[in-house]
Amino acid sequence: MATAMPSIACLGLIGRNNNPLHISIFPSHDPATNTFAPIRTPLQFSLLLSSAIDVFDLRAKHNAISGVGLSGDFGLLHAVDDRLAAYGFETNTGVRMVCVVDMRGRRVDSSAAGSRGVGTGLRDAELKPVFRAMQNAYVHLLQNPFYDPDEHAPLGGMGGKKITSRKFAEDMKRIGEGWTPGVSTL
Amino acid sequence: MSFEPVMPPYNSSDPSANFLSSSCLDFLLIELVPLAYRVTHDRDAAVLEPTTTPTDVASTSHAVSSNAAGVVSAPGTRKVDDEEDLDAVHYRLEMLGYRVGQGLVERFSRDRPRFNDTLDVIKFLCKDLWSLVFGKNIDNLKTNHRGVYVLTDNTFRPFSRMSTEAGGQAIVRAQPVTSPDPFRAYLVFAN
């Protein structure tokens, strides 16, 4: 019998001006047809990321008042339904990363599932390698002298271009496809 | 620009760390100002004379580049307002530094606690970034508690190879450096 494991459904990078910098969507396994397809449309994922911005703002305010939130990791932002959950991270420069996890996105054979129970949920720490790898990819992008961050988040506070770097997109693809719960480096 | 052996976590075992000869960096810093003059001027000339044939542009740029010290009055180019010209050069240099700073901050604020207010940002600048980039902490930090911070470095590394006229009163003539950030950071370099 085949069971399912969590996988990444979408990786989003949001700029300082609440502008989308990058969105990568990954297919999930559909047990009914045994095929791989994204479980939401690109527009729906885009809306999911937009709604995550509100949670970021709310948490940031809450953290500033209570004096906690010493790291950029926001943990679980919101659970969309029984399958999708959004996790967030914010860098010190105001770039936000959102990882939408599909709790049943990856197929595993029952033998391979082994000790790990299915449907036990995720701990925030299990997403840490994802955000660390995403941040590394972003730092590498900034080391490219032809990438101008101000084009992507102008100081005026409005708009900004998307990231067009092929290398960055490949990094996101590698992260999204490579992650499973328990992976420590990506 | 740190000349001392680097501390972990930024040592040679860090796969994302790159190293470079400090002499190269000195040469680059020396060349940066004349380069900014040349580039600004070549671009101005290109904008002003779009119909110029390529050979003319080449000869103009050659004339300008031979004049590397920076006072640019190459024959054939329009006489540009000196002050405006200087501003354009300053802007170009400032933007180069700003871009380098953006990359450095993104890289080195990675494993730091979050910045909750401006003071946290300034502290990061004085303690962490300054010692990473210039090999020492900042000597003095003053603030009027209204968003103006004055950072003083008495032995600024990049200036150590520069000569100044004796009794030139460099400290008096030191210009405040404004950053394009929302809060203003005044950096005073005294050597």
Side-chain angles (χ1 to χ4, degrees):
Chain A
M1 185 197 128
T3 53
M5 258 168 78
S7 76
I8 292 177
C10 172
L11 288 177
L13 200 70
I14 302 165
R16 211 173 34 189
N17 298 344
N18 292 336
N19 54 318
L21 288 178
H22 178 89
I23 299 175
S24 280
I25 293 167
F26 302 95
S28 301
H29 179 249
D30 183 357
T33 56
N34 203 19
T35 51
F36 283 88
I39 60 165
R40 293 281 195 281
T41 62
L43 175 65
Q44 284 171 321
F45 274 121
S46 175
L47 292 173
L48 262 176
L49 295 184
S50 300
S51 66
I53 295 173
D54 289 338
V55 188
F56 271 113
D57 282 352
L58 209 65
R59 293 274 179 91
K61 272 188 203 131
H62 186 258
N63 286 349
I65 293 167
S66 57
V68 294
L70 285 172
S71 86
D73 207 338
F74 281 69
L76 178 67
L77 295 176
H78 57 171
V80 183
D81 53 22
D82 63 332
R83 275 191 84 162
L84 289 182
Y87 293 78
F89 183 94
E90 183 171 10
T91 72
N92 277 326
T93 49
V95 176
R96 278 154 291 180
M97 300 161 187
V98 181
C99 174
V100 182
V101 176
D102 180 355
M103 290 300 173
R104 298 197 293 273
R106 195 186 298 269
R107 186 186 58 147
V108 281
D109 297 324
S110 51
S111 58
S115 58
R116 201 191 148 73
V118 176
T120 50
L122 279 174
R123 277 174 292 123
D124 290 350
E126 291 184 291
L127 270 300
K128 273 210 162 64
V130 175
F131 293 125
R132 183 150 185 90
M134 282 176 84
Q135 198 175 2
N136 276 340
Y138 186 66
V139 167
H140 277 289
L141 177 72
L142 263 146
Q143 285 171 356
N144 176 358
F146 297 105
Y147 175 79
D148 181 8
D150 278 353
E151 265 186 6
H152 299 268
L155 289 172
M158 289 287 285
K161 287 186 192 169
K162 282 195 161 199
I163 292 170
T164 52
S165 159
R166 200 174 341 118
K167 189 168 176 299
F168 185 78
E170 277 167 14
D171 279 345
M172 291 298 115
K173 192 165 147 48
R174 180 177 51 78
I175 295 165
E177 288 171 355
W179 179 81
T180 51
V183 167
S184 58
T185 49
L186 278 166
Chain B
M1 210 179 289
S2 324
F3 293 88
E4 296 79 23
V6 278
M7 294 285 120
Y10 309 115
N11 56 19
S12 51
S13 65
D14 182 355
S16 56
N18 295 310
F19 295 95
L20 135 133
S21 152
S22 59
S23 310
C24 282
L25 195 63
D26 276 338
F27 287 135
L28 176 73
L29 285 176
I30 292 165
E31 270 305 306
L32 212 55
V33 176
L35 179 80
Y37 271 102
R38 283 202 299 273
V39 172
T40 310
H41 242 265
D42 283 5
R43 288 180 64 116
D44 279 355
V47 169
L48 289 171
E49 299 166 37
T51 53
T52 319
T53 58
T55 50
D56 281 348
V57 171
S59 67
T60 311
S61 67
H62 182 73
V64 174
S65 55
S66 66
N67 198 352
V71 192
V72 188
S73 55
T77 55
R78 194 192 68 146
K79 197 151 177 80
V80 193
D81 186 282
D82 273 353
E83 204 162 303
E84 198 180 300
D85 195 40
L86 206 61
D87 277 351
V89 173
H90 285 176
Y91 179 75
R92 176 162 294 278
L93 281 171
E94 204 177 306
M95 282 302 116
L96 286 175
Y98 176 60
R99 177 64 188 82
V100 170
Q102 281 179 316
L104 285 176
V105 166
E106 197 68 59
R107 165 114 162 73
F108 290 111
S109 70
R110 185 165 55 185
D111 302 315
R112 307 282 153 176
R114 285 185 60 71
F115 305 143
N116 286 319
D117 54 10
T118 316
L119 191 62
D120 282 348
V121 177
I122 297 287
K123 272 189 203 156
F124 167 74
L125 196 68
C126 295
K127 284 186 181 162
D128 300 350
L129 206 62
W130 213 268
S131 55
L132 274 165
V133 179
F134 302 120
K136 66 189 281 292
N137 283 2
I138 204 126
D139 292 319
N140 195 343
L141 163 66
K142 289 180 202 155
T143 175
N144 67 353
H145 300 291
R146 288 193 191 84
V148 177
Y149 296 86
V150 179
L151 281 57
T152 314
D153 187 345
N154 291 323
T155 46
F156 188 52
R157 206 59 159 280
F159 286 176
S160 62
R161 315 257 171 180
M162 291 184 193
S163 58
T164 173
E165 54 181 304
Q169 295 188 311
I171 297 174
V172 178
R173 294 200 317 216
Q175 296 282 320
V177 181
T178 52
S179 78
D181 278 28
F183 63 90
R184 291 184 298 170
Y186 279 58
L187 305 179
V188 179
F189 302 120
N191 205 13

